[in-house]
Amino acid sequence: MSTATRTAVVTGASSGIGAATARRLAEAGYHVVLTARRKDRIEDLAAELGAAGLSAAAYALDVTDRAAVDAFAASLDRCDVLVNNAGGALGADPVATGDPADWRTMYEVNVIGTLHVTQALLPALTASGDGTVVVLSSTAGHGTYEGGAGYVAAKNGARVLAETLRLEIVGQPVRVIEIAPGMVRTEEFAKTRFRGDEEKAAKVYAGVAEPLTADDVADTIAWAVTRPSHVNIDLLVVRPRAQASNTKVHRDL
Ligand SMILES: NC(=O)c1ccc[n+]([C@@H]2O[C@H](COP(=O)([O-])OP(=O)(O)OC[C@H]3O[C@@H](n4cnc5c(N)ncnc54)[C@H](OP(=O)(O)O)[C@@H]3O)[C@@H](O)[C@H]2O)c1
């Protein structure tokens, strides 16, 4: 089947990496279904892609709402690619004082949200005969750092979901790809983490010559998704050159 008729679902497509991935996959020939809670933003992007002659639709969805996720899955004619991108961090407090509510929220969106959408779309992905599940974890899913435990725990959960699913469905026509980005300067990620505090958000990237952009990660996702069907890119860890590890970043300050 040509990619022109294939459908790719992107969660969290209203900003950052998800929006850039929706663009890249639409440019690669997929019909892209953009989902996120902010309907206006995904509708605007779908309209922009449509005006450029690409194929896109918008569907407002909170991935933590299982009934809504099931209704969304039932609304699709087909699904060939699922990009589980919805997620993020809340707070950067030490374990001693971190807010359990933040930990719960991060687990709900990054892990349970990914579980909901993956479970709901797996039958369609399998029925496609050539399905792909992408899980956006993070380098936080591969190593911890001070102040990061809640997010690190959640992204470890997302990583384990991807690794385990790959074991469980081997032999079925569905690939499972984990993309683990390091530092990516997106408009909202750090602002959300620090609850709108622009100064704290800016410090994350202070002096770093070139943090990754949303499009750098989208390019990586689109590359992994568009490999031949028998090629499963299990895991890609992608960092800017200035970041050697979660705790070793070169800053020109
Ligand atoms: N930026 C980084 O440095 C970095 C590094 C590694 C991994 N990541 C991961 O990459 C993904 C995208 O990050 P980003 O930097 O592009 O952040 P972002 O701009 O803050 O995007 C997060 C997206 O998730 C959506 N979202 C949040 N909660 C949701 C929910 N309950 N249901 C549905 N959608 C929800 C948001 O849309 P709505 O608010 O409209 O729902 C938004 O589109 C996240 O999983 C993040 O953890 C980011």
Side-chain angles (χ1 to χ4, degrees):
M1 180 164 297
S2 85
T3 51
T5 57
R6 290 188 179 170
T7 293
V9 170
V10 181
T11 69
S14 59
S15 65
I17 295 167
T21 300
R23 278 180 204 281
R24 283 272 180 177
L25 292 180
E27 284 161 7
Y30 287 91
H31 168 64
V32 178
V33 182
L34 298 92
T35 75
R37 292 168 302 181
R38 286 170 295 175
K39 196 171 179 218
D40 53 335
R41 292 181 71 125
I42 50 175
E43 281 180 348
D44 287 354
L45 181 51
E48 186 194 316
L49 294 173
L54 303 172
S55 182
Y59 189 109
L61 183 66
D62 181 338
V63 295
T64 66
D65 179 343
R66 183 54 187 255
V69 169
D70 287 341
F72 167 63
S75 77
L76 293 174
D77 293 331
R78 61 178 299 136
C79 181
D80 301 85
V81 175
L82 163 62
V83 181
N84 284 297
N85 164 79
L90 268 187
D93 308 296
V95 172
T97 55
D99 185 344
D102 286 347
W103 283 55
R104 255 184 224 113
T105 302
M106 287 189 278
Y107 196 82
E108 277 293 325
V109 62
N110 290 289
V111 185
I112 305 298
T114 299
L115 178 68
H116 283 162
V117 186
T118 302
Q119 285 183 337
L121 293 184
L122 204 48
L125 288 158
T126 308
S128 77
D130 183 12
T132 302
V133 177
V134 177
V135 173
L136 254 290
S137 65
S138 166
T139 52
H142 295 264
T144 196
Y145 55 96
E146 290 146 290
Y151 183 58
V152 166
K155 287 302 193 186
N156 268 274
R159 172 180 61 76
V160 167
L161 186 159
E163 280 184 17
T164 310
L165 178 65
R166 192 181 305 116
L167 294 174
E168 291 170 348
I169 65 172
V170 69
Q172 294 178 35
V174 180
R175 299 180 294 179
V176 182
I177 298 171
E178 179 193 348
I179 305 286
M183 184 185 286
V184 191
R185 182 159 49 199
T186 55
E187 214 180 299
E188 299 187 352
F189 178 84
K191 257 192 262 174
T192 302
R193 180 168 214 166
F194 295 109
R195 298 183 172 78
D197 186 328
E198 306 259 1
E199 209 176 309
K200 276 190 185 166
K203 273 194 186 146
V204 171
Y205 311 106
V208 180
E210 281 181 291
L212 297 179
T213 64
D215 188 57
D216 290 330
V217 181
D219 180 32
T220 301
I221 294 169
W223 176 80
V225 166
T226 55
R227 291 315 83 209
S229 310
H230 67 289
V231 178
N232 195 126
I233 307 297
D234 284 8
L235 165 67
L236 276 174
V237 177
V238 192
R239 301 183 199 266
R241 189 172 58 193
Q243 184 186 34
S245 80
N246 288 351
T247 52
K248 182 79 178 172
V249 179
H250 180 76
R251 296 178 193 271
D252 286 314
L253 292 172

